[in-house]
């Protein structure tokens, strides 16, 4: 776990903050930045909900699939153009390949926002068939830090506006990021405009705090997602970033009940760790 400020200073950690990992879907908010920078969002008149969906790992509810179909329609395409079922994206033939200009633009954006050299970013293949980016937890947390206060990062105005638009869209339409009964959605709602967050497969979670400018990245070592949300809420509590009322709103994720085959409560998960001050 790594907690970083806007100057890339490691404030707190648990475990190894330099551990390299594939960010998986927690990278989507950063990957969505070029959608704004290239002018695609304005050209196709994307709403906040449309842009929020670009950052999503959603539940496939009607509100998600209807919006995805509406986006396709605005592009002059039909569902068949996806050629993908529920996971493997093959729209427009080769855009998912690393050497495609889309993926190269994404790699450059990850490099610039996370301040991590492109040549040191490890490239893997995600379950849905697109490249994933491997970098240290601390660099990933720094990327989320920079997205909290883009106007202070010394970026070009186009980058500042694009980053702000992505984070604001997630906050404006949190239901698109996850869905009903999903942590990402309920967490953003509980933050009331302060936080944005995104889960990644194999138990990765990242958070940006617009008020303090802090970025947080965590990874459960064995990839078991059931420990991810309790840990995310606990780190926010240890940093005094959420209050008791917000904790209560997220209690089903913070202290999830364990049930047996008879649906009887037999226990609960409890996060047990203490953040250490960084150096």
């Amino acid at each position: 776990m790594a907690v970083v400020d806007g100057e890339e200073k490691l404030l707190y950690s648990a475990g190894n903050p330099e551990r390299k990992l594939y960010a998986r879907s927690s990278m989507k908010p950063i990957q969505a930045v070029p959608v704004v920078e290239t002018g695609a969002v304005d050209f196709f008149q994307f709403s906040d909900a449309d842009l929020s969906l670009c950052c999503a790992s959603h539940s496939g509810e009607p509100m998600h699939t209807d919006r995805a179909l509406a986006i396709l329609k605005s592009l002059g395409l039909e569902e068949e153009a996806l050629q993908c079922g529920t996971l493997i994206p093959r729209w427009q033939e080769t855009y998912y390949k690393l050497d495609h200009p889309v993926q190269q633009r994404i790699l450059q954006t990850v490099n610039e926002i996370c301040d991590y050299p492109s040549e040191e970013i490890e490239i893997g293949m995600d379950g849905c068939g697109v490249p994933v980016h491997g970098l240290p937890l601390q660099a990933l947390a720094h990327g989320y830090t920079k997205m909290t206060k883009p106007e202070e990062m010394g970026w070009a105005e186009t980058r500042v506006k694009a980053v702000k638009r992505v984070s604001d869209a997630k906050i404006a339409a949190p239901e698109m990021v996850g869905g009903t009964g999903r942590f990402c959605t309920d967490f953003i709602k509980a933050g009331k405009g302060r936080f944005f967050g995104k889960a990644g497969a194999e138990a990765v979670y990242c958070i940006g705090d617009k008020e303090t400018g802090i970025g947080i990245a965590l990874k459960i070592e064995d990839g078991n997602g059931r420990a991810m949300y309790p840990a995310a809420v606990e780190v926010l509590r240890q940093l005094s970033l959420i209050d008791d009322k917000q904790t209560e709103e997220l209690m089903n994720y913070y202290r999830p009940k364990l049930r047996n085959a008879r649906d009887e409560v037999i226990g609960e998960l409890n996060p047990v760790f203490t953040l250490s001050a960084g150096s």
Side-chain angles (χ1 to χ4, degrees), residues 27-44 46 50-51 54-55 95 100-114 133 147 155 157-167:
M27 193 65 81
K28 285 180 179 177
I30 296 174
Q31 292 172 307
V33 170
V35 181
V36 183
E37 286 185 324
T38 58
V41 161
D42 290 327
F43 184 83
F44 293 108
F46 276 26
D50 294 332
L51 185 53
C54 293
C55 304
Y95 92 96
H100 191 282
V102 166
Q103 296 301 332
Q104 287 299 304
R105 178 69 178 260
I106 288 172
L107 179 61
Q108 179 184 349
T109 303
V110 172
N111 151 236
E112 292 170 353
I113 291 182
C114 294
H133 308 90
M147 292 189 74
W155 288 332
E157 190 63 21
T158 52
R159 170 62 54 86
V160 171
K161 289 182 177 178
V163 169
K164 189 174 187 303
R165 195 161 175 185
V166 169
S167 61

Side-chain angles (χ1 to χ4, degrees), residues 237-252:
R237 285 179 56 80
Q238 289 192 29
L239 296 171
S240 299
L241 298 181
I242 58 173
D243 58 27
D244 290 343
K245 182 177 183 297
Q246 290 168 309
T247 302
E248 186 61 34
E249 291 177 32
L250 299 171
M251 190 57 69
N252 287 340

Side-chain angles (χ1 to χ4, degrees), residues 246-276:
Q246 290 168 309
T247 302
E248 186 61 34
E249 291 177 32
L250 299 171
M251 190 57 69
N252 287 340
Y253 304 102
Y254 181 42
R255 298 285 179 85
K257 303 300 183 186
L258 302 178
R259 298 177 181 273
N260 63 14
R262 293 172 54 84
D263 202 33
E264 298 165 331
V265 175
I266 57 172
E268 67 178 19
L269 293 183
N270 288 300
V272 181
F273 65 89
T274 302
L275 292 171
S276 300

Side-chain angles (χ1 to χ4, degrees), residues 125-248:
M125 188 64 68
D126 205 358
C128 62
V130 298
V132 289
H133 308 90
L135 62 170
L137 268 172
Q138 186 169 343
L140 185 56
H142 184 52
Y144 269 70
T145 293
K146 292 176 74 174
M147 292 189 74
T148 64
K149 295 182 182 293
E151 68 279 0
E152 298 178 7
M153 295 300 117
W155 288 332
E157 190 63 21
T158 52
R159 170 62 54 86
V160 171
K161 289 182 177 178
V163 169
K164 189 174 187 303
R165 195 161 175 185
V166 169
S167 61
D168 286 352
K170 288 173 54 112
I171 290 171
E175 70 281 358
M176 289 295 127
V177 182
T180 306
R182 295 284 298 277
F183 179 78
C184 283
T185 294
D186 292 341
F187 165 59
I188 294 172
K189 287 181 177 179
K192 295 179 172 56
R194 177 173 177 173
F195 305 111
F196 57 91
K198 185 67 186 71
E202 300 297 322
V204 179
Y205 205 84
C206 296
I207 296 168
D209 177 11
K210 284 177 168 284
E211 186 171 309
T212 64
I214 283 176
I216 301 167
L218 68 88
K219 159 73 175 166
I220 305 302
E221 185 69 27
D222 67 358
N224 193 326
R226 76 176 192 167
M228 175 172 58
Y229 302 137
V233 177
E234 176 65 15
V235 70
L236 292 167
R237 285 179 56 80
Q238 289 192 29
L239 296 171
S240 299
L241 298 181
I242 58 173
D243 58 27
D244 290 343
K245 182 177 183 297
Q246 290 168 309
T247 302
E248 186 61 34

